[in-house]
């Protein structure tokens, strides 16, 4: 909990910014951008609004920082999947990672990047645009990896890396939506396994 009052210059903050950001990430993950009010955020973070603004900026700034934390934490499976030696293993790691990340014990179900933008009006335009960019960048990284797989002969020469990347992302996002709806992890894993039996979907 923070210390009330304005801290002297050079004095360390009276709260753990890393822990506060972790809690903010979970609020956005569970409630979405518009559903997460400032009171929800500051109560979860254990700080006042003025301290939130001082440490993280406004709600949009906090949201972007929370998205970065999610990318480097629960969603880090995506970056690791790209390091797999074959396109098939990349796809399998992506889907298995999506299942695990969207059903983590002690965390909200679903995907931060999907949940936070399912309902997004005019006031959430910046957050929605940030998430569109986030998803498109993920697709671009998959496309580049599948491009390499074609060059290496790991995928057929007539494979379309962009279509494969979007197909895989659609599957991962679908898993996230079903997880948020309460579908058990074992059932989601069966979906992932079924998708891999027809990889690549040419």
């Amino acid at each position: 909990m923070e210390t009330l009052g304005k801290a002297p210059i050079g004095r360390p903050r009276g709260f753990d910014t890393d822990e506060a950001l972790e809690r903010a990430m979970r609020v956005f993950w569970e409630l979405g951008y518009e559903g997460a009010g400032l009171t929800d955020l500051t109560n979860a973070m254990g700080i006042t609004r003025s301290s939130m603004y001082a440490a993280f900026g406004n709600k949009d700034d906090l949201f972007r920082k929370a998205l970065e934390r999610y990318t480097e934490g629960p969603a880090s499976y995506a970056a690791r999947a790209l390091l797999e030696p074959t396109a098939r293993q990349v796809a399998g790691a992506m889907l298995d990672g999506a299942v695990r990340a969207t059903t983590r014990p002690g965390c909200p179900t679903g995907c931060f990047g999907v949940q936070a933008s399912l309902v997004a009006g005019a006031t959430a335009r910046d957050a929605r645009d940030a998430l569109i960019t986030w998803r498109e960048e993920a697709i671009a990284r998959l496309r580049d990896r599948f491009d390499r797989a074609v060059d290496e002969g790991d995928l057929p020469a007539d494979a379309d890396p962009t279509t494969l990347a979007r197909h895989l992302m659609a599957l991962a996002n679908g898993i996230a939506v079903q997880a948020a709806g309460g579908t058990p992890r074992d059932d989601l894993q069966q979906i992932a396994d079924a998708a891999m039996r027809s990889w690549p979907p040419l």
Side-chain angles (χ1 to χ4, degrees), residues 17-37 40-45 56 62-71 73-75 100-113 115-116:
T17 56
D18 193 59
E19 177 62 24
L21 184 57
E22 173 73 18
R23 293 179 180 183
M25 178 194 74
R26 289 171 182 249
V27 172
F28 283 126
W29 188 352
E30 181 175 8
L31 301 179
Y33 178 85
E34 286 189 322
D40 298 311
L41 290 163
T42 54
N43 283 349
M45 297 163 80
F56 302 105
L62 178 61
F63 179 81
R64 289 175 184 273
K65 289 180 174 68
L67 180 58
E68 290 175 7
R69 185 175 183 87
Y70 179 78
T71 303
R100 291 193 305 272
T102 58
T103 57
R104 290 178 61 162
C107 289
T109 54
C111 170
F112 180 115
Q115 296 299 106

Side-chain angles (χ1 to χ4, degrees), residues 69-157:
R69 185 175 183 87
Y70 179 78
T71 303
E72 295 167 0
S76 60
Y77 70 87
R80 292 193 299 274
L82 296 175
L83 303 177
E84 294 290 341
T86 68
R88 181 180 184 82
Q89 287 172 295
V90 169
M94 278 290 296
L95 295 181
D96 290 348
V99 171
R100 291 193 305 272
T102 58
T103 57
R104 290 178 61 162
C107 289
T109 54
C111 170
F112 180 115
V114 175
Q115 296 299 106
S117 62
L118 285 178
V119 179
T123 59
R125 181 175 303 164
D126 288 345
R128 182 190 61 210
D129 290 347
L131 290 170
I132 289 172
T133 298
W134 183 75
R135 289 192 295 270
E136 288 300 317
E137 288 174 348
I139 290 170
R141 287 190 290 272
L142 282 169
R143 180 201 63 216
D144 291 346
R145 178 62 184 83
F146 294 150
D147 264 328
R148 195 182 91 199
V150 171
D151 291 342
E152 294 173 347
D154 179 41
L155 282 172

